[in-house]
Amino acid sequence: MRVLVVEDERRMAAALQRGLQAEGFAVDLAHDGEEGLHAARHGDYDVVVLDIMLPRLSGYNVCKRLRAEENWVPILMLSAKDGEYDMADGLDLGADDYLTKPFSYVVLVARLRALLRRDAGRRPAVLLAGDLSLDPARRRVERDGAAIELTPREFALLEYLLRRRDEVVSKSEILEHVWDTFDTDPNVVEVYVGYLRRKIDAPFGRNALQTVRGAGYRLAGDGG
């Protein structure tokens, strides 16, 4: 899923980006409040990780402005301020969660996944398409009860398609959300779709991952 990290400490931001990418997230960075607000307004993000003490515009004000514009992207605030009133202020302004620094990376990832599950009521804990299941928290994929081993990129691609099941998704959308770029050769999507088919469909005699000629791909909600 696509994450915006707004953090002015560049080493921290880069570490968060590397760690979240290793978990299968696509991550963009912003290093001040104004840049973060612009990105959150105009980017298609699934969740925002927002530091509070930012130059140019505080995290509090970024959150306040987004909510005033009825932008309901899930926001997890990060802060070295650990007072109960600081936390209350962030949550009252519209943040969905609050984590104090230093924090456990394992807890950060778990909270991000919890926010993604809650968002808009359409993010179940386990994603299903017929007898195909993906558990984001346990990093587990099964088909008809059999475990399927996927690489991190294959897992991220399948997770994105399952969240958009029965929808036609273009190569450019997949590149943006799974590869975090538009610059990669679009043919890489076709290659990874082939990898997935050989793991989730072919051994089971199914056709869940379908090509829609001229438009993109669709993962059948009934599992094919």
Side-chain angles (χ1 to χ4, degrees):
M1 296 292 99
R2 193 166 180 81
V3 180
L4 172 65
V5 173
V6 189
E7 167 63 65
D8 63 316
E9 187 180 336
R10 291 179 180 266
R11 290 179 64 183
M12 168 73 78
L16 285 170
Q17 185 178 45
R18 287 193 301 270
L20 292 174
Q21 286 174 338
E23 294 289 334
F25 293 95
V27 184
D28 289 339
L29 299 180
H31 297 296
D32 63 58
E34 290 284 359
E35 183 185 359
L37 178 61
H38 181 270
R41 280 172 169 165
H42 301 288
D44 182 18
Y45 294 103
D46 297 288
V47 66
V48 175
V49 177
L50 179 64
D51 189 30
I52 290 178
M53 303 299 289
L54 294 168
R56 300 181 68 192
L57 191 67
S58 75
Y60 288 136
N61 283 323
V62 172
C63 182
K64 184 177 180 179
R65 293 189 189 184
L66 288 173
R67 296 311 188 226
E69 297 165 4
E70 298 189 352
N71 184 327
W72 305 115
V73 60
I75 295 174
L76 186 150
M77 281 190 166
L78 291 179
S79 178
K81 302 172 71 174
D82 60 358
E84 59 184 18
Y85 289 105
D86 298 310
M87 184 179 299
D89 286 344
L91 296 174
D92 285 344
L93 286 171
D96 298 276
D97 203 352
Y98 190 107
L99 195 58
T100 58
K101 300 176 182 178
F103 53 84
S104 161
Y105 184 75
V106 172
V107 171
L108 171 65
V109 172
R111 289 193 177 189
L112 288 178
R113 292 200 178 279
L115 288 179
L116 291 170
R117 291 195 298 270
R118 294 205 303 261
D119 180 32
R122 63 181 182 90
R123 299 188 181 275
V126 177
L127 305 173
L128 300 172
D131 62 355
L132 175 65
S133 67
L134 180 148
D135 185 335
R138 296 171 60 208
R139 308 292 291 176
R140 184 174 179 85
V141 175
E142 293 183 354
R143 177 75 133 172
D144 195 23
I148 300 173
E149 295 296 325
L150 299 181
T151 67
R153 187 74 71 187
E154 291 165 353
F155 189 96
L157 175 57
L158 180 59
E159 181 177 359
Y160 181 65
L161 292 171
L162 279 167
R163 293 193 187 281
R164 300 281 302 273
R165 59 189 175 275
D166 286 327
E167 299 179 26
V168 176
V169 183
S170 69
K171 286 184 179 179
S172 62
E173 288 178 290
I174 292 172
L175 284 174
E176 180 182 4
H177 284 265
V178 178
W179 270 266
D180 194 21
T181 180
F182 291 107
D183 297 330
T184 302
D185 185 344
N187 289 329
V188 74
V189 176
E190 186 175 341
V191 171
Y192 272 83
V193 165
Y195 293 160
L196 267 185
R197 283 178 174 147
R198 288 195 287 272
K199 292 184 177 182
I200 69 170
D201 278 344
F204 304 93
R206 308 294 176 80
N207 183 33
L209 186 42
Q210 303 163 358
T211 299
V212 180
R213 191 175 298 277
Y217 302 95
R218 176 175 55 224
L219 194 136
D222 63 2

